[in-house]
Amino acid sequence: MDDRMYKEFLESQLQWSKNQIAVLDEMESKLQEMKKIAEYAAENDLSFNERKKLNSHLKELRNEFSFLEAKRSPL
């Protein structure tokens, strides 16, 4: 492998890493939001409608998280 090819390889690995970090950051954000919702629900006496709304939001976040998880690619 010559220097040019090696440089291209390293640049592609760097870009891959940056993409993975971006996806992981988004995943972390979804998890933090889910945690806040769970803590809020645990600390408060919620009505049926409030619980239903929060559960719906959690389901949406879980789906978004699953999509992001599927976006992650192996090296």
Side-chain angles (χ1 to χ4, degrees):
M1 184 181 293
D2 65 14
D3 287 345
R4 182 185 56 77
M5 288 176 61
Y6 187 63
K7 181 180 178 184
E8 288 174 9
F9 170 75
L10 291 176
E11 287 173 349
S12 71
Q13 293 300 298
L14 177 61
Q15 188 58 48
W16 178 87
S17 297
K18 288 178 179 180
N19 292 342
Q20 293 302 297
I21 289 169
V23 171
L24 290 170
D25 285 345
E26 288 182 61
M27 291 171 72
E28 181 182 18
S29 175
K30 302 295 179 197
L31 290 172
Q32 290 295 329
E33 193 172 350
M34 287 188 268
K35 179 183 175 185
K36 287 179 184 177
I37 291 170
E39 288 174 344
Y40 175 80
E43 295 169 358
N44 294 281
D45 187 24
L46 304 176
S47 70
F48 174 79
N49 286 335
E50 288 172 311
R51 288 192 312 268
K52 188 175 176 180
K53 183 178 176 182
L54 289 177
N55 280 332
S56 176
H57 192 99
L58 281 172
K59 184 177 180 180
E60 181 181 319
L61 289 167
R62 188 172 50 242
N63 288 339
E64 291 171 5
F65 182 89
S66 295
F67 173 77
L68 290 167
E69 194 171 34
K71 259 178 86 170
R72 291 188 56 226
S73 62
L75 184 59

